[in-house]
Amino acid sequence: MTALAQLFQPFTIRNCRIKNRIFSTGHDTTMPTKGVPNEPLIAYHKARAEGGAGLIIMQVAGVHETARYTSHLIMATSDDCVPGYRAVVDACKPYGTRIFGQLFHPGREIMESQDGTAPVAYAPSAVPNERFHVMPRPLSKRMIKEIVDGYASAAERLQRGGLDGVEIVASHGYLPAQFLNERTNQRTDEYGGSFENRLRFTREVALAIRAKVGPDMVIGLRISGDDKDYNGLQERESLAAIETLDDVMDYFNVIAGSSASFGGAVHIAPPMAFANGYVAPFAATVKAKVKAAVLVAGRINQPQDAEKILASGSADLIGMTRAMICDPDMPKKAEAGKLDDIRACIGCNQACIGHFHAGYPISCIQHPETGRELTYGTRKPIARPKKILIAGGGPGGMKAAAVASERGHEVILCEAGERLGGQALIAQMLPSRAEFGGIITNLTREVQLGGAEIRTRTKVTRAFVEAERPDAVIIATGARPRSALSAGVEGVESGHVVSAWDVIRDQVNIGSSVVIADWRCDWIGMGLAEKLARAGCRVRLCVDGYMAGQRIHQYVRDHWVGELHKLNVEIVPYARLYGVDGDTAYFQHATSNEPIIFDAVDTVVASLGHERQSELEDELASWDGDIRIIGDCLTPRTAEEAVLEGLKATAEI
């Protein structure tokens, strides 16, 4: 407790006492249906309240019909939302967790159609955005008044739903920020021009809310310090707005980034390439200038990092959203001093915001119970313990072992190699991907806590199974690289063609001119390109798709593309590997079938996907026992599917 003395001190904002300094920032979950909080969302927030969160700020609620930026946000434009909010509060209240809600209008930042046709977006001025290519319609003064009144009415509905506070979303280039930014606000009336006029909209919103909800409810503002966008707000502008609004706000929740551009949007959920707590210096600047409380987020995934920020006086509360998506019990474990038991977020973005952008409820590749609380939130009791043998110590096998042993089964986890981890051991070796190795650390700890027996350097065979006599065998033996030869690439013997895995492990000579054949269009090709470019090679990344990183989350991809551009990596889309001949590599354009030819190539690096390792499955084809096959040996995919299937395979045994 001494090491985290600040983190578990209570804090009061206005009249709202928060039991600790850990909060969950407002984030879209893709769970609500029909515009209201529902049972999955209630269960989701309850899990985080039960896990010890001091404050939960619920996701955005639209304040006007023109605020529908996705088809699955909460709409606070009618009383229909009130019972759902009340249900969330009732579910979280027994754990002492406070609940705020975000009030939202995206302005021009419309990312989704409601019916397949492009909606009309409204903004201060007709200035388009880069990311969604939306040309907005300028707001009339009549509509501005409607929207201001909408914020106030929405706040009153959230108050009737039992929430303790509301947060005006002025971050990430949304409507209040569009008014404030002189590059997006070109109005000549009282809402444009001078700094005071550009801030008028946000001030009117705050005053209208206060008049509607009375003196007790907390009112805060979320704002980006730096939009990280050439056309966005800069720290000096945001700081001036914060200082000016200090008289009407109870707190400022500071973050970075903007939805309007590719480079700015990365900061909405910064991936592992970004430093932990990188927004804290701006929070410290704000803290020195305002009376209101200061909240901060941005890649703060460990309680020790949160404690340092608090101890430095940089902020009053710490946003640890993805940390609690990954481990809802993180606060409770930290308070008990069980730091080694915390399942730390690795910033991969694959199943949290990655699911949101794909239109699915958010989850976590390490903790697939997240978003599935109604199905897997509670471990089912077992009638009698069984002996379960798991072949393969990658993420899927480890998750299966952890869940089965936690439920009370006798579990033996066998790994043919020297270490647990599977392909994650390779992933962590690439530039900016070291944190991915955290999945190994976290799942290994879960296996140990469950009490499963771990046997490394142990290959499971039919004879081994028959000797151990388990009740069930879970096959999680993974996959191996698909070779250029098996992919039908011509002339492999005449050129220097090597596998991606061998390059990552530094097991082959490369030369100075490299072509990467990237069929997967994922992190492997991009990571190889960065690794080899930093080693001084001329790198051409040929992707058999329409863009590099096509199959990974856009924030991870977009940031990585920028890094590769700075390293002078040439990216060639729609390029399928056809053949090699000495120092020449031949590709086909994927749509025209015309040749793409590269000369003076020292090495072709093949990242052509994986092939399942099916030997054990074949050996056990006639074995009379319960067999479950999970992960890449079922068919090659990603760690997310392997871990989820490890959960599913053992949740019912």
Side-chain angles (χ1 to χ4, degrees):
M1 181 65 184
T2 305
L4 301 174
Q6 300 292 320
L7 195 57
F8 292 99
Q9 288 297 312
F11 187 79
T12 299
I13 302 177
R14 204 169 188 91
N15 298 319
C16 180
R17 184 180 185 273
I18 300 165
K19 68 179 182 179
N20 61 44
R21 307 301 183 93
I22 299 170
F23 77 99
S24 175
T25 63
H27 58 285
D28 207 325
T29 62
T30 328
M31 290 178 181
T33 49
K34 299 181 180 178
V36 298
N38 56 9
E39 289 300 319
L41 187 65
I42 295 165
Y44 174 82
H45 287 307
K46 179 184 176 183
R48 278 128 200 91
E50 187 175 5
L55 168 66
I56 291 172
I57 302 178
M58 290 182 64
Q59 66 196 74
V60 295
V63 300
H64 190 266
E65 279 304 305
T66 57
R68 293 182 184 270
Y69 85 127
T70 72
S71 58
H72 42 71
L73 81 165
I74 298 170
M75 290 299 292
T77 51
S78 77
D79 289 350
D80 292 348
C81 67
V82 175
Y85 277 119
R86 173 59 65 184
V88 172
V89 171
D90 289 346
C92 297
K93 189 175 181 180
Y95 307 103
T97 302
R98 297 291 193 164
I99 308 293
F100 295 176
Q102 289 187 320
L103 302 178
F104 180 73
H105 196 295
R108 66 182 183 170
E109 296 303 306
I110 300 290
M111 63 177 286
E112 185 182 323
S113 168
Q114 301 296 310
D115 62 0
T117 64
V120 177
Y122 291 87
S125 304
V127 178
N129 65 10
E130 173 183 84
R131 185 165 162 234
F132 301 123
H133 302 280
V134 169
M135 175 60 79
R137 175 182 172 87
L139 282 161
S140 66
K141 285 198 278 189
R142 177 189 60 79
M143 189 174 279
I144 290 174
K145 184 178 186 308
E146 276 185 24
I147 292 172
V148 170
D149 291 343
Y151 274 97
S153 297
E156 190 268 338
R157 291 186 180 100
L158 268 61
Q159 185 180 47
R160 281 194 278 131
L163 275 66
D164 301 294
V166 292
E167 180 175 278
I168 302 164
V169 182
S171 61
H172 300 120
Y174 297 123
L175 185 61
Q178 291 163 34
F179 271 101
L180 178 59
N181 185 349
E182 63 183 353
R183 291 161 290 283
T184 54
N185 183 349
Q186 299 174 356
R187 302 177 73 94
T188 57
D189 59 12
E190 64 267 35
Y191 290 97
S194 68
F195 173 77
E196 290 75 15
N197 281 356
R198 285 183 280 115
L199 199 58
R200 186 183 305 278
F201 175 80
T202 306
R203 179 175 286 278
E204 285 185 354
V205 166
L207 292 174
I209 292 172
R210 180 58 69 201
K212 196 81 167 180
V213 301
D216 294 328
M217 196 174 203
V218 173
I219 301 174
L221 184 79
R222 193 176 204 205
I223 186 167
S224 296
D226 186 341
D227 278 0
K228 307 291 185 179
D229 174 14
Y230 77 101
N231 226 9
L233 289 171
Q234 299 172 4
E235 286 192 1
R236 59 177 176 78
E237 297 169 304
S238 298
L239 188 60
I242 289 168
E243 289 186 84
T244 306
L245 293 170
D246 193 27
D247 62 326
V248 293
M249 298 296 174
D250 296 315
Y251 73 84
F252 295 98
N253 183 2
V254 299
I255 192 63
S258 169
S259 174
S261 68
F262 297 109
V266 168
H267 298 269
I268 294 174
M272 67 179 73
F274 287 84
N276 296 99
Y278 71 103
V279 184
F282 178 72
T285 301
V286 173
K287 187 95 172 76
K289 293 182 177 293
V290 300
K291 296 184 221 174
V294 176
L295 286 61
V296 69
R299 280 280 284 144
I300 307 169
N301 66 346
Q302 292 276 25
Q304 301 94 317
D305 294 329
E307 179 69 22
K308 287 178 184 176
I309 294 169
L310 292 170
S312 70
S314 299
D316 298 303
L317 272 77
I318 309 296
M320 304 185 74
T321 307
R322 283 180 291 174
M324 288 185 283
I325 292 174
C326 185
D327 192 342
D329 294 330
M330 181 274 295
K332 193 160 56 177
K333 291 176 182 177
E335 188 170 21
K338 298 179 179 179
L339 300 182
D340 290 341
D341 295 353
I342 292 172
R343 185 187 309 104
C345 168
I346 58 175
C348 70
N349 279 7
Q350 184 172 339
C352 48
I353 195 164
H355 272 210
F356 161 62
H357 281 137
Y360 302 109
I362 65 168
S363 190
C364 177
I365 72 167
Q366 299 189 74
H367 190 63
E369 293 90 337
T370 286
R372 301 178 176 93
E373 284 82 5
L374 294 176
T375 305
Y376 296 111
T378 304
R379 299 281 186 249
K380 291 186 178 180
I382 57 176
R384 70 171 183 86
K386 293 183 178 180
K387 184 176 182 178
I388 300 175
L389 176 63
I390 301 172
M398 286 193 284
K399 182 65 176 182
V403 174
S405 57
E406 183 185 339
R407 293 184 63 221
H409 292 299
E410 177 189 351
V411 179
I412 303 172
L413 173 62
C414 298
E415 164 56 40
E418 296 184 356
R419 295 178 57 195
L420 298 178
Q423 291 180 49
L425 293 169
I426 302 171
Q428 68 180 349
M429 297 173 69
L430 285 169
S432 306
R433 298 291 286 183
E435 201 167 347
F436 199 88
I439 194 173
I440 304 170
T441 304
N442 295 333
L443 285 169
T444 299
R445 183 60 175 164
E446 290 185 50
V447 174
Q448 293 168 342
L449 290 172
E453 179 184 351
I454 300 172
R455 299 183 191 176
T456 56
R457 295 187 291 275
T458 303
K459 184 177 181 179
V460 177
T461 63
R462 172 71 179 258
F464 184 90
V465 171
E466 290 175 343
E468 289 291 339
R469 301 177 63 188
D471 296 297
V473 174
I474 296 172
I475 303 176
T477 48
R480 61 175 65 89
R482 181 171 177 248
S483 70
L485 188 63
S486 64
V489 177
E490 295 186 9
V492 172
E493 301 84 355
S494 68
H496 190 215
V497 182
V498 299
S499 81
W501 287 21
D502 288 342
V503 176
I504 296 170
R505 292 165 168 159
D506 294 321
Q507 293 176 338
V508 289
N509 294 322
I510 296 299
S512 61
S513 177
V514 181
V515 172
I516 300 169
D518 181 13
W519 172 83
R520 288 176 58 89
C521 302
D522 67 356
W523 57 270
I524 299 177
M526 300 185 81
L528 285 167
E530 181 178 356
K531 173 184 173 71
L532 296 174
R534 292 193 184 281
C537 296
R538 179 194 178 189
V539 179
R540 286 164 284 191
L541 175 60
C542 298
V543 296
D544 196 354
Y546 52 80
M547 68 172 73
Q550 176 182 322
R551 295 178 59 242
I552 59 179
H553 182 249
Q554 60 184 268
Y555 296 165
V556 179
R557 176 190 66 232
D558 293 346
H559 177 73
W560 221 334
V561 166
E563 292 302 303
L564 295 183
H565 181 262
K566 288 188 281 188
L567 291 167
N568 296 313
V569 171
E570 180 184 352
I571 299 175
V572 183
Y574 296 103
R576 81 165 64 95
L577 181 61
Y578 181 83
V580 294
D581 182 10
D583 64 354
T584 302
Y586 298 90
F587 288 75
Q588 279 183 318
H589 192 279
T591 61
S592 73
N593 288 327
E594 292 295 306
I596 306 171
I597 302 172
F598 301 100
D599 294 316
V601 176
D602 295 320
T603 305
V604 174
V605 181
S607 181
L608 303 177
H610 299 132
E611 297 173 337
R612 64 192 182 91
Q613 299 204 90
S614 59
E615 294 83 357
L616 181 59
E617 179 185 351
D618 295 340
E619 281 189 61
L620 296 180
S622 61
W623 181 67
D624 187 19
D626 185 359
I627 299 176
R628 317 273 174 117
I629 305 169
I630 66 171
D632 278 5
C633 64
L634 182 59
T635 196
R637 288 154 298 156
T638 75
E640 178 184 357
E641 291 79 23
V643 174
L644 175 58
E645 287 164 8
L647 167 65
K648 288 181 174 180
T650 48
E652 301 294 338
I653 294 177

